[in-house]
Structure formats: structure tokens, C-alpha cells
Amino acid sequence: MEIAVALAEPAGVELWRLGTDELRAFARELGTTVSAIQGLQLRTITEIDRRGAAIELGAANTARWLTDVSHVSPGAASRMVQLGLALDRLPDVAAALDSGALLSEHAEVIVRVLQQLPDDLPDDGVDACRTYLLEAALAEDPQALNRRGRELLARISPDDAELTEEHAVARRELRISDCGDGLHKVTGWLDTEAAELAHSVLSPLAKPRPADDGERDTRSPAKRLGDAFVDLLGRAADHACVPGEGYARPHLTLHVRADALAAGHGPAAELTFLGPLSIAAARRLACDAEITPMTLDENGVPLDVGRTTYVVSGGLRRALIARDRGCAFPGCGRPPGWCHAHHIVHWADNGDTALSNLVLLCGHHHRVVHHHGWAVTIGDDRQPWFTPPAWIDPDGTPRPAHQRRHQPQLLSLE
Ligand SMILES: [Zn+2]
Ligand SMILES: [Zn+2]
């Protein structure tokens, strides 16, 4: 198949007409063409940048313009601009990309490694490194090339590589500062290894999930990462504090008056470290907690301390997991380890701690149900049903739980 003809009208390509050998050859040729097109795209972006053609149109810079016109992410756009500029100074790497012999990912690795070479390396040393990497790029995938590049750097300047890493570890820090308006600012530095760990642990938790109205997740990547970070802390606390017990949540200590908890208003609850918290939040936290009743004197000194008990016992929690199998909120289904047992009628309002009054919800959906107007009921089928607030569904049609088990169909035989 003629590649130029195919590219002129990709939708019109009838792949079924190709024999298997021809199909493989076509796939190989397409790969080469994609690389060549990427090379051309980078040279075009570089030319636009050199002419200031994006700034002329009022864009802050070329990357910003690229984001607007091509809808690539800001990160990807600025990587493309940087790569284009770097390749402009590496004609042999650019030529290899144009010929389709390597991918833009290869070129990115080569550029990154060359930029990290020590400043005092003589020119012929830099040339030798570039040739070595380029040859490797023609034979290896980008990940293998990246490993090779790191080995090269470690060989050329072993002390540098190690020192850089150790300096980075020494600079690790995290600050959580109270901004006084209910917000706390988290800032800090991580070394590469720690950042890698953070990414690998947080990424799966930060995946988009359907929004509360069932639509696409509109949270920004930063917002998703922030939510994931909090989930992770909750999970760590669960496991660090109660080995074996699983999912109880005794790690966030909250002092609240029993009468205020039942009334839903009154004196605010108190967190150990950070002070007051709304009664509404206290009721949510109390849904699935370890409770220690105390009688205090008028000065707030405990006179009597009762037995600490879990609101939801292990056996009942297992039953709840068997029924809901994770967050029951429609469209969610996060695993049970991330979930709280929510009381449909709060125990502080004399609701039963029983399967007929409990539903498993992830931290996010527990919040949605407590604070954003969703209602939960247990239906005649003894399964949870979720009724959206009027702004999502004016008819208020209840929606079934996420992973409800399908009942075997009854066969009617004539
Ligand atoms: Zn709850
Ligand atoms: Zn959920």
C-alpha cells in the first residue's frame, strides 16, 4: 500500500484487503512515517518559536499557543518546544528522527542525558557520548536507552551523580502551614527516588472517576493528586494504627460533645492538632469510628472514661463488604480498604448499626452523601439506592449501588 495515498485519506484505507505480510509491512512503514512527522512537527514549532510567531498573536509563549491550538497538555507543549530547540543544535539526532530511524522519545532521552554531562567535559568527549547514544537509540527502545544514559552519566561523573542524588535527599522537606482560612498550604522538595515513589503510589489513586452527577471527572490533575494524597494518608493511618483490625479509623482524634453530635449543631468539635471542626464533619467522622465516652467536669477534666468500642465491628464490616464490595456510590466502586461504613440514619440519631442502616462509601463519596445532598436508602431488595439532589436530577430517581450482585434470574417454565 502506498503510504502517501493512505495518509491522504486514512479513513478510506481498507485494511482487510491487505495480506498479513503486507499488513506487517504497512505497520512498519507507518511507524517510520510517524517519527518523520514528529521530526517535522518539532522543526515547525521551533521555526514558529524563532520567528516569535506565537507571541505576535498575543500568546505568552510558543508552548501556551500550542496548548491553545492543538489541545496538548501544557507540560507536553513545553516539552515539545524544549525538544525542538535542543534538536536544532543536534543535527545528526534531528536527521535520524526525520528519517524515521528513531522516535521523539529517543530524542528526548538523548537531549536530557547530554544536558546532564559535566560542564568541564571536552568537546570530543561530548561528541563521543552523542554518537554512542544515537547508535544505541537506533537499536533500543527509549526505556532501555534511558537506562543506558543513566549508566553513562554515572560512569563519566560517578561522584556527581551520587552527590546530586544525596544533595537532593538532604533537601527533602515538607511544610504544612495554616493559612487561617480553613486552608493549609503544603509545600516541599523531594529527591527523584522519593518523587518516583510518590508518583507510583499516588497515580493509581489520582485516576479520574465519574463526577457526582455521573459525568466526566472535571477535577484538574492537581486537584486529583491532592485528593489522592489525602486518601493515602487515611490508608496509611488505618494500617499503621490498627494492624489486623483493618479499616477502623482511630487515628484522627476528635473531641465532641455527645449532645452536639446528636443535635447536629452546638459547640464545635475539637481536633487534637488543629482545633475546631464543624459538627457536620464530626458527624461524618463519627459514622465509622472508635468511640471513647467520657464524662467531663465543668473545667473539661475527664471524671470518668468508658470503654472504647468500634462503631462498626469486624463481623458487620465483613458483611457490609460482602454486600457492597467497595464504594457503593453509583459509578465508583473503590475497594473496601478505602471505604468508610456510613450510617444512613446516624447512630447519634438512634440509627441502628446494622446492615439495613449501613452503606460502604469511599472518603470522597462519604463526603458527598453527608454534605452535598445525596440521599441513601435501603430498598425492598435490601440493597442501597442513591437519590441525587434536585440540581442533578429534578425527578429524584433513585440509582442502584455500583456493584450490586445480580440476582439469578428466575426461570419460568411453561
Ligand atoms: Zn456517614
Ligand atoms: Zn466512592
Side-chain angles (χ1 to χ4, degrees):
M1 169 160 318
E2 189 69 55
I3 197 91
V5 177
L7 290 182
E9 205 202 337
V13 175
E14 293 174 317
L15 292 172
W16 59 269
R17 287 185 187 277
L18 303 184
T20 306
D21 286 342
E22 227 180 332
L23 191 64
R24 287 194 204 109
F26 184 56
R28 268 200 308 277
E29 206 175 343
L30 273 180
T32 312
T33 311
V34 167
S35 297
I37 290 177
Q38 282 177 336
L40 182 59
Q41 186 187 27
L42 290 173
R43 278 192 289 128
T44 312
I45 292 168
T46 308
E47 186 62 25
I48 286 176
D49 193 69
R50 187 181 295 127
R51 291 189 196 178
I55 295 168
E56 223 168 69
L57 292 177
N61 52 45
T62 308
R64 190 61 246 179
W65 172 81
L66 201 58
T67 304
D68 289 342
V69 295
S70 305
H71 305 298
V72 289
S73 71
S78 80
R79 278 203 306 279
M80 281 160 91
V81 173
Q82 297 305 326
L83 183 60
L85 291 171
L87 286 180
D88 205 32
R89 294 186 294 274
L90 299 170
D92 48 353
V93 182
L97 185 62
D98 279 338
S99 73
L102 47 83
L103 303 170
S104 65
E105 282 170 280
H106 286 114
E108 239 175 309
V109 174
I110 297 177
V111 166
R112 191 169 58 237
V113 175
L114 292 179
Q115 280 168 349
Q116 287 175 45
L117 288 175
D119 294 337
D120 55 0
L121 193 69
D123 284 350
D124 56 344
V126 176
D127 287 344
C129 289
R130 196 185 61 242
T131 310
Y132 170 75
L133 290 168
L134 186 54
E135 271 169 21
L138 299 177
E140 292 174 344
D141 67 76
Q143 207 178 352
L145 182 68
N146 189 34
R147 216 170 305 127
R148 192 179 284 277
R150 284 214 311 273
E151 283 163 12
L152 180 72
L153 288 171
R155 214 164 54 224
I156 291 181
S157 49
D159 297 344
D160 274 10
E162 201 181 336
L163 209 65
T164 312
E165 282 167 14
E166 287 312 302
H167 277 157
V169 172
R171 286 195 62 188
R172 248 188 224 168
E173 62 175 36
L174 191 71
R175 291 171 208 271
I176 304 178
S177 34
D178 189 345
C179 300
D181 49 2
L183 279 171
H184 298 258
K185 186 168 182 162
V186 180
T187 49
W189 292 103
L190 292 178
D191 54 287
T192 307
E193 199 180 313
E196 171 73 24
L197 186 63
H199 279 298
S200 71
V201 175
L202 291 173
S203 303
L205 304 179
K207 279 198 294 218
R209 61 174 175 235
D212 304 337
D213 53 3
E215 291 297 304
R216 200 173 60 83
D217 193 342
T218 52
R219 292 177 301 156
S220 69
K223 165 76 180 135
R224 285 191 273 117
L225 205 59
D227 289 347
F229 180 61
V230 175
D231 279 354
L232 179 72
L233 295 179
R235 177 84 163 165
D238 284 341
H239 286 263
C241 297
V242 275
E245 252 300 328
Y247 314 117
R249 310 176 61 76
H251 38 271
L252 202 138
T253 305
L254 186 71
H255 298 268
V256 60
R257 284 177 55 144
D259 53 350
L261 200 64
H265 55 80
E270 287 273 332
L271 286 165
T272 310
F273 293 109
L274 297 169
L277 192 73
S278 71
I279 289 294
R283 281 172 66 89
R284 170 169 49 76
L285 291 168
C287 251
D288 190 2
E290 201 189 44
I291 306 280
T292 310
M294 287 184 202
T295 313
L296 308 181
D297 69 8
E298 70 274 18
N299 300 315
V301 178
L303 292 173
D304 184 38
V305 178
R307 239 183 88 228
T308 298
T309 50
Y310 288 106
V311 172
V312 180
S313 68
L316 183 54
R317 188 180 305 275
R318 274 186 278 279
L320 192 58
I321 292 171
R323 187 193 68 195
D324 292 348
R325 295 191 287 168
C327 176
F329 198 92
C332 184
R334 292 201 110 188
W338 299 95
C339 292
H340 313 171
H342 164 69
H343 281 69
I344 297 170
V345 178
H346 204 287
W347 57 262
D349 305 330
N350 301 318
D352 288 339
T353 298
L355 205 53
S356 56
N357 189 41
L358 291 172
V359 61
L360 215 51
L361 294 173
C362 70
H364 169 72
H365 286 122
H366 196 193
R367 215 172 257 281
V368 165
V369 164
H370 272 263
H371 309 301
H372 300 287
W374 280 75
V376 192
T377 47
I378 299 289
D380 293 339
D381 55 0
R382 298 164 67 206
Q383 293 275 358
W385 287 80
F386 293 80
T387 308
W391 64 269
I392 290 176
D393 176 6
D395 298 335
T397 312
R399 302 178 183 184
H402 181 68
Q403 309 196 68
R404 52 174 302 160
R405 286 182 197 280
H406 287 287
Q407 300 303 319
Q409 295 278 325
L410 284 176
L411 274 181
S412 81
L413 296 173
E414 301 263 317

